[in-house]
Amino acid sequence: MAQLAGSKTSEHREHAIEQFIGNLLRVCVIATVVIVVVGGILFLPSILWTAPSYSKFVGEPAAFRSVAGILGQALTGDGRAIVQTGMLLLVLTPILRVAFSVFAFLYEKDYLYVVLTLVVLGLLMFSLLAG
Amino acid sequence: MHLTIIQFTGFLFAGALAAGFLGALTGLGGGVVIVPLLTIVFGVDIRYAIGASLITVIATSSGAASAYVREGYSNIRIGMLLEIATTIGALVGAYLGGILSPSFIAIIFGLVLVYSAYLSSRPRAEHAPAHTSDSLALRLKLPSSYPVKGEMVDYGVHNVPAGFGLMGLAGVLSGLLGIGSGAVKVLAMDHAMKLPFKVSTTTSNFMIGVTAAASAGVYLHRGYIDPLLAMPVVLGVLAGSLTGAKVLGRSSPKLLRIVFSIVIFVLAIEMIYNGATGRI
């Protein structure tokens, strides 16, 4: 009986951690929307009447292809780079969730899943920083 | 058709809004129609379209996550274990995306769309949850419980290697085509691993964002993610899917589901035709 009660508390805690992570993700998405709208307001008016060209692929400029490049450009107040910062935050959101899951499994002393989660985190960081 | 930025952004936002709304209302997800919408209707190069679609998939999956967690259905251990397969798959898919020709990618995209339309036109049979588990599933501590009418019911887990393999494939498709490949993920967990319907659906949603983030990093470095293009798409799909989820309540609009399946099927044929004739 005592064991059953113990497992219920741990399940409850597990759920609380998951709930925290779920809310964190929602906050990230809301922050992204705010950043994207602010960036859009800064740069859209100046180009409203120009024609976009996406029919031929040329790729983004180098500054918009890396974490350091995007943040550096955004700090200069460039609206387009601020929008791209929002996109970067979206890519970071699931990575944050995985990072927090490492702590959740550590807290539960479930070391097998700490290792498995670190593998996923490593793959994601590889993609974002070196991909 | 020469549009100015104001028209282009406005139409794109409206299209994304409709896609997100119908996707949430029918449960098919709006992400799957973003690439055909951008390439066929707006004449956007498929590489930019895939970049914008991946970002959108992450946004909708993350935005819905807290609601799914609250319901208590998703299994984080299964999700995390299978994410190893989907992230490796997604990196492979993103690599393939860099070497395959856009026409070929368009044809694969069309075929996957046909399959999704077919799957969504059939009702999903709810099988009785398994009560036993494989020894591998037990060693990995995968079996768990989920709420049924307020009571926690235990369920077993089977065929972990088969589920892992199918998830790898789901990851490759996600990385190559810029979609969530929820259909393949649910298939792997429903049919191979014998998970209850609600557990597989919510765990799949839990995994979609992480899978998409794995290939989004690669595509960001390759210059596929354009802020001006992604902005109206992300905002439109997010607004559309949130509205759709509110309207939905508990009903399942059957007619709308059929209509949306037909739209997906037509877009699929168009993708295959354009790919085969070299227009994409």
Side-chain angles (χ1 to χ4, degrees):
Chain A
M1 197 64 200
Q3 202 189 349
L4 187 73
S7 87
K8 269 205 171 148
T9 346
S10 103
E11 216 163 68
H12 183 75
R13 266 189 212 141
E14 194 175 316
H15 194 72
I17 295 172
E18 271 301 292
Q19 190 65 62
F20 168 77
I21 296 176
N23 288 334
L24 179 83
L25 298 189
R26 185 183 281 187
V27 168
C28 283
V29 173
I30 294 169
T32 299
V33 170
V34 172
I35 292 172
V36 166
V37 169
V38 167
I41 291 170
L42 279 176
F43 86 98
L44 267 184
S46 62
I47 55 159
L48 277 186
W49 309 105
T50 59
S53 58
Y54 292 111
S55 52
K56 278 206 180 68
F57 182 77
V58 284
E60 296 307 301
F64 283 9
R65 294 185 183 208
S66 68
V67 178
I70 294 166
L71 294 180
Q73 190 81 7
L75 284 175
T76 67
D78 177 359
R80 201 182 279 247
I82 292 174
V83 174
Q84 192 75 329
T85 306
M87 301 308 161
L88 190 62
L89 179 60
L90 270 185
V91 178
L92 275 173
T93 304
I95 303 181
L96 268 179
R97 147 181 269 184
V98 174
F100 270 96
S101 298
V102 175
F103 291 112
F105 286 126
L106 262 181
Y107 185 77
E108 289 174 39
K109 298 194 169 60
D110 190 342
Y111 299 114
L112 171 65
Y113 276 87
V114 170
V115 173
L116 292 179
T117 310
L118 281 173
V119 171
V120 175
L121 189 62
L123 288 165
L124 290 171
M125 295 308 284
F126 167 76
S127 164
L128 186 64
L129 299 175
Chain B
M1 193 164 59
H2 287 285
L3 294 171
T4 59
I5 294 276
I6 187 169
Q7 292 165 320
F8 186 78
T9 306
F11 289 144
L12 208 52
F13 180 80
L17 194 73
F21 185 72
L22 287 174
L25 222 52
T26 54
L28 303 180
V32 82
V33 297
I34 291 302
V35 171
L37 179 77
L38 285 173
T39 53
I40 297 167
V41 182
F42 289 92
V44 171
D45 185 283
I46 193 166
R47 284 161 281 200
Y48 286 127
I50 287 173
S53 173
L54 263 180
I55 294 284
T56 309
V57 165
I58 299 175
T60 45
S61 158
S62 302
S66 60
Y68 284 127
V69 171
R70 199 175 312 122
E71 286 163 11
Y73 294 119
S74 65
N75 184 321
I76 13 170
R77 284 195 173 76
I78 292 180
M80 204 52 80
L81 176 72
L82 296 178
E83 265 163 16
I84 295 179
T86 62
T87 45
I88 293 174
L91 288 171
V92 172
Y95 171 75
L96 288 175
I99 54 173
L100 295 176
S101 82
S103 303
F104 188 64
I105 294 173
I107 294 172
I108 299 177
F109 200 109
L111 294 175
V112 171
L113 269 187
V114 170
Y115 181 66
S116 313
Y118 163 74
L119 269 191
S120 62
S121 66
R122 299 171 10 153
R124 258 169 75 188
E126 168 93 78
H127 54 79
H131 293 294
T132 57
S133 292
D134 290 353
S135 63
L136 181 60
L138 285 171
R139 250 184 295 154
L140 291 166
K141 290 176 275 189
L142 298 180
S144 182
S145 54
Y146 74 120
V148 179
K149 290 172 192 147
E151 272 187 47
M152 295 306 279
V153 175
D154 291 335
Y155 59 86
V157 179
H158 288 267
N159 302 325
V160 179
F164 197 83
L166 272 172
M167 281 297 169
L169 176 70
V172 172
L173 291 177
S174 171
L176 179 64
L177 308 175
I179 57 175
S181 31
V184 184
K185 289 192 172 91
V186 168
L187 195 72
M189 288 187 274
D190 261 20
H191 291 264
M193 301 175 76
K194 312 258 184 259
L195 294 181
F197 177 85
K198 283 194 163 143
V199 176
S200 61
T201 310
T202 49
T203 307
S204 159
N205 184 75
F206 168 91
M207 299 172 62
I208 282 173
V210 175
T211 311
S215 41
V218 176
Y219 283 135
L220 184 76
H221 286 284
R222 238 183 249 154
Y224 282 32
I225 296 170
D226 182 85
L228 185 53
L229 186 68
M231 178 175 65
V233 178
V234 167
L235 295 180
V237 171
L238 263 182
S241 54
L242 288 178
T243 319
K246 282 234 168 75
V247 171
L248 179 62
R250 277 156 200 278
S251 65
S252 85
K254 204 175 166 192
L255 180 69
L256 205 59
R257 209 178 154 82
I258 294 169
V259 171
F260 198 53
S261 297
I262 293 171
V263 170
I264 290 179
F265 186 74
V266 171
L267 287 172
I269 299 303
E270 195 101 357
M271 287 294 282
I272 295 171
Y273 176 76
N274 282 351
T277 53
R279 287 180 209 192
I280 288 181

